[in-house]
Amino acid sequence: GESVGLHLPTLSVQEGDNSIINCAYSNSASDYFIWYKQESGKGPQFIIDIRSNMDKRQGQRVTVLLNKTVKHLSLQIAATQPGDSAVYFCAETFSGGYNKLIFGAGTRLAVHP
Amino acid sequence: GAVVSQHPSWVICKSGTSVKIECRSLDFQATTMFWYRQFPKQSLMLMATSNEGSKATYEQGVEKDKFLINHASLTLSTLTVTSAHPEDSSFYICSASTSSQGDYGYTFGSGTRLTVV
């Protein structure tokens, strides 16, 4: 849903551990979801996406889970590396709304060696 | 892959002046372009959506006379911040979207850091 003036929570993990980043979305009509990684001073970078007709999708070291019942998304990163340190955002959109992409609040991931 | 070029990457301007930010899709035609604003340690907030050749649709609370958006071609959209004030200082990011047979993808620019002094 719309993110209004929220400050970013931080998830701290040890290098090599698995990370789970959660996101709640607000629009039950949303049918397409994307996870982005954003490094300081840069634009968002696509990580993985999922459509509403799926509940799980896997990529390289990443998995996205979708629970439409409770409007919840999660991003799992396996064997987290220092290079994964960034801010992660989920984003949602729905067909028929000019496909505008609405970002969630975001989570800062800090990976410690 | 799809590339969106946004420039300038940073700009400093005096209060009361106007600043133009350009967003170009380099290797594809963008049906729709989106403009976002991001304050430090916050999320991206959608400002407006523009389709080529038509007026932009602004989100609630965004002043259309202050943030002028032009989308004259399928590869170029511009955002002009008019009469800028220090509170307009922010990170502005554009995104270009293509829509084909129900599939859509979003490609983001690298952002523009605007500082109004």
Side-chain angles (χ1 to χ4, degrees):
Chain A
E2 295 286 351
S3 174
V4 184
L6 300 175
H7 290 269
L8 302 171
T10 298
L11 174 66
S12 294
V13 300
Q14 290 294 123
E15 181 178 359
D17 286 353
N18 297 332
S19 303
I20 300 176
I21 300 171
N22 296 302
C23 174
Y25 65 93
S26 59
N27 189 348
S28 56
S30 292
D31 56 9
Y32 181 53
F33 306 87
I34 309 173
W35 278 100
Y36 287 96
K37 173 185 181 183
Q38 187 183 30
E39 297 175 308
S40 182
K42 298 182 179 180
Q45 175 188 350
F46 175 93
I47 300 174
I48 191 169
D49 59 358
I50 189 168
R51 296 194 178 278
S52 58
N53 60 353
M54 303 172 69
D55 54 20
K56 180 179 180 179
R57 189 157 189 237
Q58 289 185 292
Q60 187 177 14
R61 279 203 308 122
V62 294
T63 301
V64 55
L65 299 178
L66 173 62
N67 185 331
K68 294 182 291 294
T69 303
V70 295
K71 294 188 288 188
H72 183 269
L73 274 169
S74 69
L75 175 69
Q76 301 177 3
I77 304 175
T80 314
Q81 303 167 359
D84 295 327
S85 294
V87 178
Y88 290 80
F89 295 98
C90 68
E92 61 181 299
T93 188
F94 67 101
S95 307
Y98 292 104
N99 300 337
K100 59 182 183 181
L101 196 61
I102 303 299
F103 281 75
T107 298
R108 179 176 300 280
L109 177 65
V111 183
H112 303 286
Chain B
V3 176
V4 169
S5 174
Q6 183 176 345
H7 72 89
S9 55
W10 61 270
V11 57
I12 301 172
C13 71
K14 291 185 178 180
S15 188
T17 62
S18 295
V19 173
K20 180 184 284 188
I21 301 169
E22 289 192 352
C23 182
R24 293 180 185 272
S25 56
L26 297 186
D27 48 5
F28 67 101
Q29 293 184 327
T31 314
T32 307
M33 287 196 177
F34 305 92
W35 287 94
Y36 293 84
R37 180 168 54 179
Q38 185 178 31
F39 292 109
K41 298 184 180 181
Q42 294 187 21
S43 186
L44 285 76
M45 294 188 64
L46 182 64
M47 299 174 67
T49 302
S50 72
N51 293 291
E52 183 262 341
S54 59
K55 290 185 178 180
T57 302
Y58 290 81
E59 295 297 301
Q60 191 173 8
V62 178
E63 300 174 59
K64 62 180 181 180
D65 293 330
K66 180 169 185 61
F67 299 99
L68 302 179
I69 292 172
N70 184 282
H71 192 167
S73 77
L74 283 171
T75 60
L76 174 65
S77 177
T78 61
L79 167 68
T80 301
V81 183
T82 63
S83 186
H85 289 100
E87 57 265 30
D88 298 323
S89 298
S90 189
F91 193 53
Y92 292 86
I93 308 170
C94 68
S95 173
S97 171
T98 58
S99 181
S100 174
Q101 300 178 343
D103 249 350
Y104 33 86
Y106 303 86
T107 304
F108 284 82
S110 53
T112 298
R113 173 77 58 195
L114 171 62
T115 303
V116 185
V117 297

